[in-house]
Amino acid sequence: MFGIILAIAIFGFGIFLKTTKNPGFASSKKFAWMLIILGVVSILGKLVIMYSKGEI
């Protein structure tokens, strides 16, 4: 469960970086797509693992 929450937080922060207009985050904007992709892959991977164990 912790893995899913962490993956959702990473995904959410990636979306936040992509949409924010705050100049303080301007240098981190190039990492937005990487965080979004990492979050999606982590969520999907965790769901596949949970499904294969029969927890879902």
Side-chain angles (χ1 to χ4, degrees), residues 1-54:
M1 188 56 124
F2 177 72
I4 292 177
I5 294 170
L6 184 62
I8 291 171
I10 291 170
F11 178 70
F13 188 64
I15 290 175
F16 168 75
L17 282 179
K18 190 74 179 154
T19 60
T20 189
K21 303 290 186 205
N22 189 336
F25 290 108
S27 63
S28 300
K29 279 188 160 295
K30 59 186 170 185
F31 295 113
W33 282 114
M34 182 186 69
L35 290 174
I36 292 170
I37 292 170
L38 180 66
V40 169
V41 169
S42 297
I43 291 169
L44 292 176
K46 185 65 174 174
L47 289 175
V48 167
I49 291 170
M50 289 176 66
Y51 180 75
S52 68
K53 286 185 176 181

